[in-house]
Amino acid sequence: MAGATQRSEAATGLALVAPPLVYAVALLAVPMAVIVLFSFWTQDYLDLDTTLTLDNYREAWTDPIYRELMARSVYISGVVTLITVVLAFPVAYYISFHVAPERKALWIFLVTIPFWTSYLVRIFLWKVILGFNGVLNTSLIGIGLIDAPLTVILYNLNAVVIALAHAFAPFAILPIFVALERIDRSLLEAARDLGETARSAFVRVTLPLAMPGVVAASLIVFIPTIGDYITPRLVGGPGGLMIANMIQTQFLRLNNAPMGATLAVLAMLIVSGIALLFVLANRRFLKRRG
Amino acid sequence: MTPLISLAGVEKYYGDYHALRDLTLEIGAGEFFSLLGPSGCGKTTLLRTIAGFETPSSGSLRIDGRDMTGVPANRRPTNMVFQSYAIFPHLSVAENVGFGLRRAAGSRAEKMKKVEEALEMVGLSGFGKRAAHALSGGQRQRVALARALILKPKVLLLDEPMSALDKKLREQMQGELRRLQRQVGITFILVTHDQEEALIMSDRIAVMFDGRIAQLDTPQRLYRAPVNRQVAEFIGMMNFLPGELRREDGRFVASIRGLGTIPLPEEQVPTGAGPGPAQFGLRPESLSVVFGSEALPTGCFSDGTVAERAYYGDMTYYDIALSDGAAPITCSMRNLVSRPVLERGTKVRLAWEPGALCIFPG
């Protein structure tokens, strides 16, 4: 009797998770498996050679172009992550510690306003701001700070960093805000009571307790930015291209899906590796707490 | 006695809310002092003002002769045990206890020795390496105590430290806290809403209502002679009986509904009280049911019927309906083996001590 009930409960459970499971397998696992499979095949002009081989990986690893794009992607993502998290922290801190409790929701809502516009539109706005005759240059010339328009701010790596850091700011602010909200304020009073100044209490208590949020923010920014291709494509110029642009080129222009798949798999592995190292480096902050 | 802490005319406003009203108070060195009152009476605000977490709107606060105006919490000779204990979850027990030693002089080894001594003092020897989040409630409280006492403050502030503990543990910790206070000789200021806890632990108690101190006294005086009905209601249990205070032949006489008319000695009548209607307070233990086999207690007598009874194991509480139809009066009796537990409806004779009467004019 009990066994029958259990079985039927298990069956109900399975029935309930089945649709999302099918969805996840169809849209995530299958494409991923196909990409991995493709990466072991090769393209022979118009034909697909389905012999399993590591040739693509060998080429991807030795060709300086791929290497440079990959290194540049990691570098850009790293810089974007650093800038975003460093700038997001004070915003999250301000909302958590200095905004009246009843207005916090409003502030968080305001933080998400950039999402109301399409990302493409926002990128084009950056072009308007950073361009040769853009808002920034004309303003700076107008107030006499520079004589000629700056060219280092558009169609290069810097422009990509600026646009991405702006786009991902809300993603970084939210987890840090949540971590800060979870800090029992009496801990800060206890630190003051035990002789710490406001600043040293921040370093000894607030910062370590906010680290889970900082780690989450870093991963949330780092992982998607490495694969971004719209931003480098539109504001990066030739010097700001990233690995995703090459993947797109392999798939769509060079008709070399296997090579594109190989680069995609490698990018994924590198991101996973770096993310894992990052989490391990911060594991003492991520321990479960009572 | 030179006071260690003295407050003069301390006021605190939060916007329109008047949290502390003209508090003037002196607390001596080595005293176990309690701030007792219902929630919202300002006791925690007062404690936090002494700690330096709140700034008084006006008035002055001196600790050990030094004016504390503008002195932040980290530079006051006070340490606090927080209601939540505020144990740092990212640090070990030893790191928590040694948190405040960072700025202190001495080598690392000396500091570690101090931490070990502090842990030993609160009965947590060998717990140093444990993670703070793995501790039980009672252990957290001990860590909070060790962390505060290790800095040898002049004053230890305790903000409802027992409220998170279960009854048994609470009773045990009350005893330990009292022992610890005698051992270290530091002034303890305890905030509590538990009158029993305040009575058990304190040398003196300030009872607070609405941001004011209603009465400041020793536990015994507070229990025996509450200054007004509000204090009397808050501390212990008390019967309030309406009646009249009269003067007959130059002597005070109480006429109490249900208990009759009795003469009162002059010293029992509060100063300034004149003839007129009054409330008479009588604690349940000042009344007793007369059991036939026992020797007749001294005092006054009244007749009544058991209207209700509550059996507590060690004690039985009887609500006795007096013969003239007044509201029932509560009386507590120790349950001796020779005493039966009376059923409802039993006719009884009640004896009471006139000397225990509290008089609240008006």
Side-chain angles (χ1 to χ4, degrees), chain B residues 74-122:
Chain B
N74 51 320
R75 289 203 271 120
R76 293 193 181 193
T78 59
N79 283 113
M80 186 141 159
V81 173
F82 290 80
Q83 186 169 13
S84 62
Y85 308 139
I87 304 296
F88 301 114
H90 57 302
L91 301 177
S92 71
V93 168
E95 285 167 333
N96 261 284
V97 173
F99 192 90
L101 291 179
R102 189 172 70 102
R103 286 156 194 273
S107 68
R108 205 179 142 70
E110 282 166 6
K111 288 179 182 177
M112 275 164 70
K113 192 163 160 279
K114 272 189 179 175
V115 168
E116 196 40 55
E117 281 167 5
L119 283 173
E120 200 182 313
M121 180 170 66
V122 297

Side-chain angles (χ1 to χ4, degrees), chain B residues 266-330:
Chain B
E266 197 74 31
E267 62 270 18
Q268 204 173 331
V269 181
T271 43
Q279 293 280 332
F280 295 90
L282 204 50
R283 298 211 180 265
E285 68 273 16
S286 302
L287 292 144
S288 47
V289 172
V290 180
F291 287 91
S293 57
E294 294 175 14
L296 222 52
T298 53
C300 305
F301 298 92
S302 296
D303 290 315
T305 313
V306 176
E308 203 60 73
R309 70 138 207 255
Y311 179 74
Y312 278 80
D314 58 337
M315 307 285 281
T316 306
Y317 282 78
Y318 295 105
D319 284 349
I320 310 282
L322 297 168
S323 36
D324 70 345
I329 185 165
T330 305

Side-chain angles (χ1 to χ4, degrees), chain A residues 1-289:
Chain A
M1 191 58 198
T5 324
Q6 252 174 24
R7 256 198 307 282
S8 76
E9 261 180 33
T12 316
L14 263 181
L16 281 171
V17 297
L21 196 68
V22 169
Y23 186 82
V25 168
L27 289 174
L28 197 70
V30 171
M32 193 101 105
V34 170
I35 290 286
V36 172
L37 188 63
F38 258 78
S39 72
F40 293 108
W41 291 347
T42 41
Q43 189 77 29
D44 186 11
Y45 189 49
L46 286 179
D47 304 316
L48 203 57
D49 182 354
T50 55
T51 332
L52 295 181
T53 166
L54 284 171
D55 282 356
N56 289 330
Y57 285 94
R58 221 166 279 131
E59 195 189 334
W61 201 249
T62 47
D63 192 325
I65 287 222
Y66 301 137
R67 272 191 172 193
E68 196 193 324
L69 282 174
M70 188 58 87
R72 186 191 291 159
S73 300
V74 171
Y75 171 76
I76 288 180
S77 283
V79 173
V80 167
T81 306
L82 187 72
I83 291 176
T84 312
V85 171
V86 165
L87 292 182
F89 196 97
V91 177
Y93 186 86
Y94 181 81
I95 299 173
S96 180
F97 280 81
H98 296 290
V99 172
E102 65 273 14
R103 307 186 67 168
K104 283 181 184 173
L106 174 70
W107 276 73
I108 291 299
F109 175 72
L110 291 176
V111 161
T112 63
I113 279 189
F115 290 146
W116 296 12
T117 352
S118 141
Y119 184 52
L120 267 179
V121 174
R122 276 184 282 154
I123 297 258
F124 279 110
L125 282 175
W126 276 113
K127 283 189 166 196
V128 173
I129 294 169
L130 301 175
F132 193 78
N133 290 318
V135 177
L136 191 65
N137 275 328
T138 37
S139 309
L140 288 178
I141 292 172
I143 58 173
L145 268 180
I146 50 172
D147 298 325
L150 297 171
T151 51
V152 295
I153 50 174
L154 188 60
Y155 299 127
N156 57 28
L157 202 139
N158 297 331
V160 178
V161 170
I162 293 172
L164 281 176
H166 172 253
F168 279 89
F171 291 114
I173 292 170
L174 292 176
I176 297 175
F177 170 76
V178 170
L180 288 171
E181 281 290 283
R182 283 185 47 193
I183 298 177
D184 178 358
R185 298 305 192 253
S186 67
L187 294 175
L188 301 174
E189 288 188 339
R192 296 300 307 275
D193 191 61
L194 295 168
E196 300 297 331
T197 60
R199 193 173 302 170
S200 60
F202 174 83
V203 173
R204 291 187 76 191
V205 179
T206 315
L207 202 52
L209 290 176
M211 277 313 281
V214 171
V215 169
S218 306
L219 293 178
I220 288 174
V221 176
F222 184 77
I223 294 172
T225 47
I226 234 180
D228 191 76
Y229 87 100
I230 305 175
T231 321
R233 181 80 193 282
L234 292 180
V235 298
L241 288 180
M242 291 166 69
I243 194 68
N245 302 106
M246 181 51 90
I247 295 173
Q248 186 216 19
T249 305
Q250 292 289 351
F251 269 103
L252 301 180
R253 296 220 193 130
L254 302 178
N255 191 26
N256 190 350
M259 194 59 198
T262 306
L263 292 176
V265 170
L266 276 177
M268 201 166 63
L269 288 176
I270 287 170
V271 169
S272 312
I274 294 175
L276 206 65
L277 285 177
F278 187 68
V279 168
L280 283 178
N282 287 292
R283 70 181 179 282
R284 72 192 177 96
F285 296 116
L286 303 173
K287 278 180 293 193
R288 194 189 69 80
R289 301 203 192 92

